[in-house]
Amino acid sequence: MTPTGFSKIRFGLHTRLSLGVAAVVLLTTFAIATFALHLVKSNMRASIATEEVARVGAIADAIDQKFGSRRILLQTFGGSVEAQDLQGAALQAFLEKHGSLRKAFDNVAFVDMDGNLVANLNGVQAIGKVNVKDRPYFQQTVASKAGLVSEPYRNRLNGLAQVAITEPVLDNAGQVRFVISGAINLKDRNILGTLGDVRFGKTGYLFVTTVDGIMVDHPQTSRILNQVQADGRGNAEILRAMAGFQGSSEGINDAGVPALYAFDRTEQTNWIVGAMYPRSEAFASIDAIERGALFGAMALALFAGALALGVARRQLKPLSELHRHMQSTKEAPATAAEPRSSYAPDEIGDLSRTFDELMAQRRAIELSLARSEAQVRTIADNIPAMVSHVDASLRYTFVNAHVRALHNNSALVGRLMPEVRGAADFALVEPHFMRALAGETVILEKSGDPALGIGNRTFKAHYIPDVDADGVVCGVFSMTFDITEEVNIRRALTEQEKLLRDVTDSIPALVGYFDREQNCLFANIRARQMAGLSEGAPLQGTTMRSALGRAVYAQHKPYLPVLFSGKKVRFPVRAPIHGREGYFQVNLIPDKNLRGEVVGFYLMSFNITALKEAELRQAESELRLRAITDNMPALITYIDREEKITFANATSREWLGLDPVQVLGRHVQEVSGRDVYLSRQPMLARALSGERVEFEASTQRAGFDRVTQVIYVPDVRADGATHGIFSLALDITALKVVEHKLIELARLDTLTGLPNRLAFNEYLPEAVLRGQLTGHAMALMFLDIDHFKAINDTMGHAVGDAVLAEYARRLLGCVRGTDMVARLAGDEFVLVLEGLNAPGTAATVAAKVVESIRTPPFVVDGQRIEVTTSIGIAYHRAADSSVTAEELLARADVALYNAKAAGRNRFEFFMPMEEARSDSPTRQH
């Protein structure tokens, strides 16, 4: 029948190969582009989340700094009130003279011990009309005689949401006379200052809430002082942060917008600082890159595929001739092996000649295959197992000699399993074969069929699904092994376990085994008797606590953490026995799996009440000590009063290159070397005097540097004298390397290359201490960029980052190489000048910085930007040893606040209240 229509259309092999090559090129190009894009997206998303967490952490630190400076301000103000002993109208007049407090607070008031308002910065009309005795912050300040930051509350006069910073004013007897309350209006958002306007993208925002869910700061001022979950639902991510989570996460806000969240906590108030960054904005650049990359990859793939298609079709053209040759060979196979002289001298000609040779070899291969099948059958017949295969209809398709011998060598292939095995035997295995036909590998043990004369044997059968290339189960392979001997061995083991129980019952000790949850899984007869259990009673529900009793368990409990860390523990226990106090030696031995994890432990408790001979107790103790210490990853030695080593564990071989026997009786200096001995001699003397000593030490032996944690424990005995020292040295070399790397990575600001807040917080206390030791003064400058928020808002964060980097470069150019310059957060920087003789030196440097920042203008991407800076200076004399590093930073922050209040583009020195009243501040315009 002649095909018609579309059935006549046929694609040749060269056409299919050409299209296949083109398809492979297309798919490969597209797959590579997709994979590369996925890696880029993952890295960019992780970078965005890390940046958001870093910004939130910096803002949390800034909030702590703002509260800290305000608390210092109130402390200084309260000190002035205490010094002048002000009361009544004089107190109100003194408060009104300090109107500059309004720059830091919405109101400052004095409250007497009855909670009545007695002085008010915002006017006298409220005096006597407000009582805050029931306010928690008032009660806590009076009770602790210390200032605090209150929880958010609503003002009783104006109804505003506020938070108060309090400080007590004490009389000469140290009792609280007044409580100063500095109120901050939450709806004015002056807690964060310019940081409160920080945006994440176009619509992302920053918010602050307490750990109890009271909103402290939010762009929607109507939400301030309300519960986060007031609507009954609550934001899941914020609830996680309230539960203690810190870091970044993705979630959906109350409006149903997917967002990237970041959370951190403040130290001063334990508030939660959070940021909501809409996911569509956070990953907008990633989505744009993805679209562009996919379009480019598709275009490149189409071009490469078209080029590959053309080249493949041209190169595969000779295949048509080879196809005709193969067709003729198929029609006339007799001539297939005859060589032809008309083949072209190219690869296709080689294929044609090879095809002729293969046709000639086909018969030889078929004969070889038949021999291979015979070999496979020989192997299967000699395997010590019964091997068979059934198809999906449970019809035998293969059986080895052992199966045939079991059935008297009758023909089995082609017969159904129920017919061969019989109804009774087949009913036993049918469910398992059905599971194998469903795709499950089944292993089971069963007894032999008595009808076949193997009823006294035990077999293990493996039913393995035969799955074809399409994943369809087309049959089951069966391999059955005779495990009668193995079963007999297991029975013997059971009898051995019984014998072992008899032995443990005969041991004069309490023996038990407990799992990691301290549930008792085994107990010998003495342990059962002590726990009040009969010999055959089940142990289910018996725990270590219930078996030992509360008092005895309390003596075991301190050693359990050591046990679960993988170490053996031995210790004495006191317990009542036969109406009197008895003494027991308890051994806790961890039971570890192959991975080294502790899955349970053995408890052996010996009654040592009757052991009177001291030599026996000492010998037993030393034997157990040697067994334990030799398996501990530490160098353990005992040093007597003559500083000679009388004990060393096996670790001395690795660390000292000496066998423990070679160490005994030798002086410490002889073993460790003169330099090491001289460095440790003071610690040895302290330990021999009865003091426990811990220190770190570095040693080098055989070219290997080792850092160790050394502990000297004095051996103080009943006579009160120190007889020697127990020395324990732990190798902490790897820990120190990791610790050093982490310290270096955590102390650098990635944008400016300057030290960050962590590095500064470590440096400043050391600088203060150096000044006290050398007798030189120092200065701490707190700097920020004037109107930096406007630069970010109008020109973008990229320009803002460039301004910060240039600002840091100019700042470094104004100081010595030995001066400390660091970036705290945002546009806040600090500068530490050491070795000063007068405040004028600090003023000169500050003036130089102000001028260097102002001129010339900054140039970013061709834009000229007028940038100025404000500086607060805290000058510290070496004689003033009472000022801490935190107080010095707070003073510099107050001075910066005054510089900004005075008009910016200037510097101000911190002036205490007494100097401020003299109207003689040092400043620079």
Side-chain angles (χ1 to χ4, degrees):
M1 182 175 181
T2 303
T4 59
F6 287 104
S7 61
K8 294 182 179 181
I9 299 176
R10 177 180 177 183
F11 292 99
L13 175 62
H14 66 287
T15 300
R16 296 196 301 274
L17 288 176
S18 299
L19 292 174
V21 170
V24 169
V25 172
L26 286 171
L27 291 175
T28 303
T29 305
F30 188 76
I32 293 174
T34 302
F35 178 73
L37 181 60
H38 172 73
L39 293 179
V40 171
K41 288 171 61 180
S42 299
N43 291 335
M44 290 184 68
R45 288 182 176 179
S47 177
I48 290 171
T50 302
E51 179 183 0
E52 185 181 11
V53 171
R55 290 181 65 191
V56 170
I59 291 171
D61 292 340
I63 292 175
D64 279 327
Q65 182 62 44
K66 299 302 180 183
F67 272 107
S69 62
R70 283 167 169 80
R71 293 187 69 178
I72 292 292
L73 188 60
L74 279 188
Q75 288 174 359
T76 305
F77 182 64
S80 298
V81 175
E82 289 179 357
Q84 300 184 40
D85 193 21
L86 299 174
Q87 295 184 7
L91 189 64
Q92 177 65 26
F94 182 75
L95 180 59
E96 292 176 351
K97 288 181 180 180
H98 293 80
S100 60
L101 292 174
R102 291 192 177 91
K103 297 175 181 179
F105 302 97
D106 291 288
N107 186 29
V108 177
F110 283 83
V111 181
D112 63 14
M113 295 306 297
D114 293 326
N116 294 315
L117 188 69
V118 297
N120 189 42
L121 184 61
N122 288 343
V124 299
Q125 61 273 14
I127 295 177
K129 298 180 180 180
V130 176
N131 186 285
V132 296
K133 189 172 185 179
D134 60 334
R135 293 288 194 187
Y137 67 82
F138 172 78
Q139 297 171 354
Q140 294 170 12
T141 303
V142 173
S144 63
K145 297 182 182 180
L148 54 80
V149 180
S150 75
E151 293 294 319
Y153 65 91
R154 191 168 301 281
N155 188 286
R156 291 175 175 170
L157 283 178
N158 51 30
L160 295 177
Q162 293 182 336
V163 64
I165 301 178
T166 66
E167 284 296 332
V169 177
L170 306 180
D171 57 19
N172 294 331
Q175 300 301 315
V176 179
R177 291 172 52 201
F178 304 107
V179 172
I180 305 176
S181 171
I184 298 174
N185 187 355
L186 297 182
K187 291 194 175 181
D188 289 341
R189 308 195 69 212
N190 58 358
I191 295 177
L192 299 181
T194 57
L195 296 178
D197 296 324
V198 171
R199 287 289 180 269
F200 294 83
K202 295 181 180 180
T203 60
Y205 54 84
L206 187 76
F207 60 90
V208 181
T209 179
T210 68
V211 294
D212 297 325
I214 302 299
M215 190 63 69
V216 177
D217 192 87
H218 197 279
Q220 299 177 9
T221 56
S222 61
R223 298 189 61 177
I224 295 177
L225 217 61
N226 289 328
Q227 280 282 349
V228 171
Q229 63 272 36
D231 57 357
R233 301 191 308 272
N235 186 298
E237 301 308 314
I238 298 179
L239 295 179
R240 283 184 63 200
M242 290 166 57
F245 171 75
Q246 296 186 67
S248 64
S249 63
E250 293 190 34
I252 299 177
N253 69 359
D254 298 339
V257 177
L260 181 64
Y261 283 89
F263 299 98
D264 199 353
R265 293 202 177 191
T266 63
E267 295 181 0
Q268 291 276 349
T269 60
N270 196 29
W271 289 349
I272 299 169
V273 179
M276 193 287 289
Y277 197 170
R279 190 181 185 282
S280 59
E281 298 177 16
F283 302 144
S285 59
I286 299 177
D287 295 338
I289 291 173
E290 181 178 19
R291 290 192 297 271
L294 290 178
F295 177 78
M298 183 62 71
L300 177 62
L302 290 174
F303 173 76
L307 181 62
L309 178 62
V311 172
R313 286 182 63 87
R314 181 178 180 86
Q315 295 299 320
L316 293 176
K317 184 177 180 180
L319 281 178
S320 59
E321 296 181 3
L322 178 59
H323 176 257
R324 287 193 298 273
H325 172 61
M326 294 177 69
Q327 287 293 101
S328 63
T329 302
K330 179 180 178 181
E331 295 173 358
T335 62
E338 298 178 1
R340 294 174 59 186
S341 59
S342 59
Y343 293 147
D346 55 16
E347 291 85 351
I348 303 303
D350 292 341
L351 287 175
S352 299
R353 285 187 290 272
T354 302
F355 174 74
D356 291 339
E357 294 172 359
L358 291 176
M359 291 296 293
Q361 296 172 2
R362 178 177 176 179
R363 180 59 183 169
I365 292 174
E366 289 176 348
L367 293 175
S368 176
L369 180 61
R371 287 194 295 269
S372 298
E373 289 178 350
Q375 290 175 351
V376 171
R377 175 167 291 279
T378 300
I379 293 172
D381 287 345
N382 287 277
I383 290 177
M386 293 180 283
V387 182
S388 64
H389 178 271
V390 296
D391 58 20
S393 63
L394 299 180
R395 190 179 299 274
Y396 283 106
T397 60
F398 174 85
V399 293
N400 72 344
H402 296 290
V403 178
R404 292 196 303 272
L406 190 63
H407 294 275
N408 298 320
N409 291 319
S410 59
L412 301 180
V413 175
R415 296 173 60 187
L416 291 173
M417 182 185 294
E419 174 190 350
V420 173
R421 305 190 67 153
D425 185 54
F426 177 71
L428 297 176
V429 299
E430 181 182 13
H432 307 294
F433 267 89
M434 293 300 102
R435 289 166 57 192
L437 286 173
E440 177 185 355
T441 298
V442 181
I443 302 176
L444 73 150
E445 292 185 12
K446 63 186 185 69
S447 300
D449 186 0
L452 298 175
I454 54 175
N456 60 339
R457 310 296 292 178
T458 304
F459 297 90
K460 176 179 283 189
H462 298 252
Y463 300 144
I464 306 169
D466 179 14
V467 183
D468 62 16
D470 297 326
V472 178
V473 179
C474 56
V476 176
F477 293 102
S478 173
M479 296 184 65
T480 304
F481 299 88
D482 188 337
I483 61 169
T484 304
E485 297 302 325
E486 179 183 341
V487 171
N488 292 337
I489 292 174
R490 283 200 301 235
R491 290 172 182 167
L493 286 176
T494 302
E495 294 177 359
Q496 188 69 23
E497 288 178 359
K498 182 179 180 303
L499 178 61
L500 178 61
R501 175 175 289 279
D502 293 339
V503 171
T504 58
D505 287 345
S506 301
I507 293 176
L510 306 177
V511 181
Y513 179 82
F514 299 84
D515 62 17
R516 191 172 179 85
E517 286 70 36
Q518 302 181 34
N519 296 310
C520 184
L521 305 182
F522 171 82
N524 71 344
I525 186 64
R526 285 180 172 79
R528 288 174 174 270
Q529 290 172 353
M530 184 172 183
L533 299 173
S534 61
E535 182 175 355
L539 294 174
Q540 185 176 6
T542 302
T543 64
M544 185 177 179
R545 182 191 297 271
S546 64
L548 298 178
R550 184 172 63 180
V552 178
Y553 178 77
Q555 299 179 59
H556 289 68
K557 188 175 181 180
Y559 301 95
L560 294 180
V562 179
L563 170 70
F564 289 131
S565 69
K567 300 178 181 179
K568 301 176 182 179
V569 185
R570 187 185 61 167
F571 53 92
V573 167
R574 293 185 179 184
I577 180 172
H578 304 308
R580 62 186 181 91
E581 187 175 50
Y583 296 84
F584 294 85
Q585 187 73 41
V586 178
N587 294 269
L588 299 179
I589 305 169
D591 179 21
K592 303 179 182 178
N593 58 20
L594 295 178
R595 295 189 298 273
E597 300 169 341
V598 177
V599 296
F601 61 92
Y602 298 93
L603 184 150
M604 297 182 65
S605 181
F606 295 90
N607 185 349
I608 60 173
T609 306
L611 299 180
K612 302 298 184 181
E613 297 295 334
E615 291 87 3
L616 294 179
R617 291 201 304 270
Q618 182 177 357
E620 180 184 5
S621 176
E622 289 180 354
L623 181 62
R624 288 198 296 268
L625 178 62
R626 171 66 65 182
I628 294 173
T629 57
D630 283 350
N631 288 280
M632 292 182 64
L635 179 62
I636 302 174
T637 56
Y638 184 90
I639 304 170
D640 63 15
R641 293 201 61 82
E642 287 73 37
E643 298 184 352
K644 292 183 178 180
I645 299 173
T646 61
F647 173 84
N649 70 338
T651 307
S652 62
R653 294 191 186 94
E654 177 186 355
W655 288 24
L656 305 177
L658 298 172
D659 192 87
V661 178
Q662 297 175 292
V663 175
L664 300 182
R666 298 172 65 180
H667 194 273
V668 174
Q669 179 176 342
E670 182 183 357
V671 174
S672 62
R674 178 175 177 78
D675 293 338
V676 174
Y677 170 74
L678 291 178
S679 66
R680 300 188 183 184
Q681 192 174 29
M683 280 73 81
L684 286 169
R686 289 166 55 193
L688 287 172
S689 66
E691 178 185 356
R692 176 187 171 95
V693 182
E694 294 188 24
F695 61 92
E696 292 184 5
S698 299
T699 59
Q700 185 180 52
R701 187 174 291 271
F704 179 77
D705 293 325
R706 189 189 308 276
V707 181
T708 57
Q709 176 74 26
V710 182
I711 304 173
Y712 287 158
V713 181
D715 180 16
V716 181
R717 299 183 184 175
D719 58 1
T722 302
H723 292 257
I725 304 170
F726 296 100
S727 172
L728 173 65
L730 303 172
D731 189 345
I732 60 172
T733 306
L735 179 62
K736 285 295 180 182
V737 171
V738 174
E739 179 183 353
H740 181 69
K741 291 182 179 179
L742 291 177
I743 289 173
E744 291 180 348
L745 292 174
R747 285 160 173 75
L748 187 66
D749 177 54
T750 56
L751 176 62
T752 62
L754 296 177
N756 61 11
R757 179 182 291 273
L758 176 59
F760 169 74
N761 288 340
E762 294 175 348
Y763 180 89
L764 183 58
E766 295 176 357
V768 173
L769 180 59
R770 282 195 297 271
Q772 295 173 358
L773 295 176
T774 61
H776 290 99
M778 63 174 290
L780 172 63
M781 297 185 184
F782 204 139
L783 313 89
D784 71 1
I785 301 174
D786 296 332
H787 305 295
F788 180 72
K789 180 180 180 299
I791 296 175
N792 264 340
D793 291 346
T794 58
M795 299 183 179
H797 289 287
V799 173
D801 289 347
V803 168
L804 290 173
E806 174 62 16
Y807 181 89
R809 187 189 67 78
R810 295 191 185 189
L811 190 57
L812 286 171
C814 297
V815 299
R816 302 167 297 183
T818 57
D819 295 330
M820 169 65 166
V821 181
R823 180 190 178 201
L824 296 187
D827 64 328
E828 294 182 342
F829 294 77
V830 289
L831 171 61
V832 181
L833 305 177
E834 296 184 59
L836 304 183
N837 295 321
T841 305
T844 301
V845 174
K848 182 179 179 181
V849 171
V850 171
E851 183 61 24
S852 175
I853 299 302
R854 183 172 58 236
T855 58
F858 285 39
V859 178
V860 179
D861 295 336
Q863 302 180 72
R864 290 170 57 86
I865 305 173
E866 298 293 334
V867 178
T868 61
T869 186
S870 297
I871 306 174
I873 308 174
Y875 187 81
H876 177 63
R877 295 177 176 82
D880 190 5
S881 60
S882 62
V883 178
T884 65
E886 292 79 8
E887 291 171 342
L888 193 62
L889 181 60
R891 289 181 175 184
D893 188 33
V894 171
L896 174 61
Y897 185 88
N898 293 334
K900 286 188 170 294
R904 295 185 171 87
N905 191 25
R906 61 196 295 126
F907 65 87
E908 292 282 346
F909 278 84
F910 172 81
M911 302 295 294
M913 297 301 296
E914 291 78 8
E915 295 181 27
R917 288 198 299 273
S918 67
D919 297 328
S920 58
T922 301
R923 61 180 63 180
Q924 175 68 37
H925 297 275

